[in-house]
Amino acid sequence: MSLTAGQLRHRASTAAVLEFAWDAGAFQADHVIAALGLTRSTALAALDTLIELGLISELPSAGPGEGYRLGRPARRFELRAEAGVVVGVDAGERQFTASVADLAGEILARCSIGVRGFSDAALVRFDDLDPAERPTAALQAIDGALAKLGRTRADVIGLGVGIPAPVDADGGSPSHQAGFWQHMNSGLQGVLDAEFPAVRVENDAALAAVAEGTLGAARGHDDFVAILVGRRLGSGVFLDGRLVRGANGGVGELEGLRYVPGVGSTHGIGPRAERWLRQELDAGRVPADHPWAELDQAGLTAEAVLSAARLDDPVSRPLLEELGATMGKICNVVARFYDPGVIVVCGAMAGALGEVIEIARTQLAADSELPPPEIVASQFGGDIVSLGAVSAAREAAAAVALSLFSERYHREPPAS
């Protein structure tokens, strides 16, 4: 049955009001009218429809001290966060972490499971890998997190997944010579599409950028780059307010760094710091009373190395200067290619890179022809991809929630 012009207009206005409500917190009809240019009757009709569908809640009227005014109190509304859940999955090489959040984005439960790394089994052929291994692990992590809340897959409105591989606009990844990218993304989009209403698979650094743009240091910026600096280097690029992927999802891969003298690869800050200190320890250049001398092989991690490094320490200063110069070159390349207003350094060790970033800022300011972007450290640590995955899941859910809840309402109308 085709819809009348009036029904189409009502559906369009209802969708617009839901989009407004998705991130608005508590609001009044006047806020909707001002933001969307709707008439009061149209706005209220859309809100009543969303209340009936279970997507919006009407809040108690404001009392004294809460925006109270004389006369009839204004109706107040809010997205009904408990109406469903979204799930963000950080699908790393060796660990999957699923985070379940309500529709407002508040994380309610998490579940992590270990998976076999690409090279853990010393496999010599890509054909030896089981393509179902990672999709199965994703579902296990999702189910585990949902079970902690007494929820099931049927409650999930949107799903976001971040993987260490380039991802195109359709959720696919190109072939990699060694098979790594194919294994990291072995049919995830298709398997998850069969289970959930809205699925968004993205590169992990792209989701770091989503998190920074919606929750973090890049809020309010249309042009920015988030750089993951852990075991490898990768970036998420936003230009003119949109995530940029490229034909094969490779915009943020930073593979061009292999041609930059002094950088030479996409190895992250972590391996560079660990390798540098091992060389110093082997050469006997670390004094016995220095905190670095107490690190055994198991404890020689980038986080431990950087936590004991300071520019005013003659032993650790050369490491910070080398890392700062490397970071400066990386940011210079990114700045010259993308002209961002902000570069956000992300990952578990970002908080320990304050002096490294300061060196990079100085180098970038000296080398830039255009006004240099601001370089800042992310505040989200190792949770950055999970947070970005939840944000992506919310965006995916927003696009389908109205049609999904309308179908449910007409299929199972509430009892009178």
Side-chain angles (χ1 to χ4, degrees):
M1 182 177 66
S2 60
L3 297 176
T4 67
Q7 289 172 322
L8 288 171
R9 285 194 297 271
H10 180 63
R11 176 172 288 186
S13 59
T14 303
V17 172
L18 179 60
E19 183 179 359
F20 170 86
W22 203 256
D23 293 302
F27 63 93
Q28 297 175 7
D30 286 345
H31 302 145
V32 174
I33 293 165
L36 303 179
L38 301 176
T39 65
R40 179 169 296 277
S41 61
T42 299
L44 290 173
L47 286 164
D48 287 339
T49 295
L50 292 169
I51 291 171
E52 191 172 7
L53 294 178
L55 280 165
I56 295 289
S57 296
E58 184 165 2
L59 302 175
S61 299
E66 301 178 46
Y68 178 78
R69 66 184 183 185
L70 293 176
R72 185 178 180 180
R75 295 173 67 187
R76 299 166 64 241
F77 309 91
E78 188 176 59
L79 179 72
R80 188 167 167 264
E82 69 274 17
V85 295
V86 297
V87 183
V89 180
D90 179 359
E93 183 186 357
R94 292 182 172 83
Q95 179 172 283
F96 279 57
T97 297
S99 303
V100 180
D102 63 21
L103 295 187
E106 181 180 352
I107 294 177
L108 306 173
R110 278 186 170 148
C111 177
S112 296
I113 63 171
V115 295
R116 180 174 57 167
F118 180 72
S119 58
D120 289 349
L123 298 167
V124 295
R125 296 189 311 153
F126 176 67
D127 289 345
D128 293 331
L129 293 167
D130 180 2
E133 188 171 326
R134 286 176 63 82
T136 298
L139 291 171
Q140 289 174 342
I142 293 167
D143 289 342
L146 289 169
K148 293 182 179 181
L149 300 172
R151 297 272 197 162
T152 69
R153 297 180 193 179
D155 298 308
V156 178
I157 311 302
L159 175 66
V161 183
I163 61 171
V167 180
D168 62 26
D170 296 321
S173 297
S175 296
H176 184 268
Q177 186 176 12
F180 180 77
W181 292 342
Q182 301 96 299
H183 184 57
M184 292 299 103
N185 190 14
S186 52
L188 281 169
Q189 186 78 49
V191 171
L192 298 174
D193 275 342
E195 297 291 334
F196 304 102
V199 178
R200 182 172 167 187
V201 179
E202 295 282 3
N203 169 262
D204 51 5
L207 290 187
V210 170
E212 293 298 338
T214 56
L215 305 169
R219 287 187 71 179
H221 292 272
D222 286 338
D223 304 288
F224 65 93
V225 177
I227 303 178
L228 279 178
V229 297
R231 306 309 301 176
R232 64 179 186 92
L233 295 169
S235 66
V237 180
F238 269 76
L239 297 178
D240 296 329
R242 297 178 59 188
L243 176 65
V244 181
R245 299 182 183 87
N248 302 294
V251 164
E253 283 300 299
L254 299 179
E255 288 294 327
L257 292 176
R258 67 177 62 185
Y259 303 108
V260 178
V263 182
S265 72
T266 57
H267 290 153
I269 294 300
R272 294 170 192 267
E274 293 164 6
R275 182 172 62 249
W276 188 93
L277 181 53
R278 286 194 177 94
Q279 292 172 348
E280 294 298 294
L281 290 169
D282 292 344
R285 290 193 286 265
V286 177
D289 59 349
H290 194 275
W292 279 349
E294 300 175 4
L295 299 177
D296 56 23
Q297 285 300 313
L300 205 162
T301 64
E303 289 80 4
V305 171
L306 290 166
S307 67
R310 308 184 314 276
L311 281 176
D312 60 2
D313 170 22
V315 177
S316 55
R317 181 184 181 92
L319 169 62
L320 296 178
E321 290 177 334
E322 182 173 319
L323 294 178
T326 300
M327 182 65 70
K329 291 177 180 178
I330 294 166
C331 291
N332 214 325
V333 169
V334 167
R336 288 172 184 265
F337 272 106
Y338 302 123
D339 188 23
V342 177
I343 296 174
V344 188
V345 178
C346 305
M349 66 187 67
L353 295 176
E355 292 180 315
V356 170
I357 290 174
E358 189 57 43
I359 294 170
R361 286 194 192 109
T362 301
Q363 180 173 315
L364 183 60
D367 293 344
S368 293
E369 295 182 6
L370 288 169
E374 183 182 7
I375 308 174
V376 297
S378 171
Q379 300 300 306
F380 295 134
D383 291 334
I384 184 71
V385 176
S386 290
L387 292 172
V390 169
S391 292
R394 289 192 71 238
E395 291 177 8
V400 302
L402 181 57
S403 60
L404 183 67
F405 276 69
S406 295
E407 290 171 6
R408 289 179 179 176
Y409 178 86
H410 290 102
R411 188 173 61 245
E412 303 171 4
S416 56

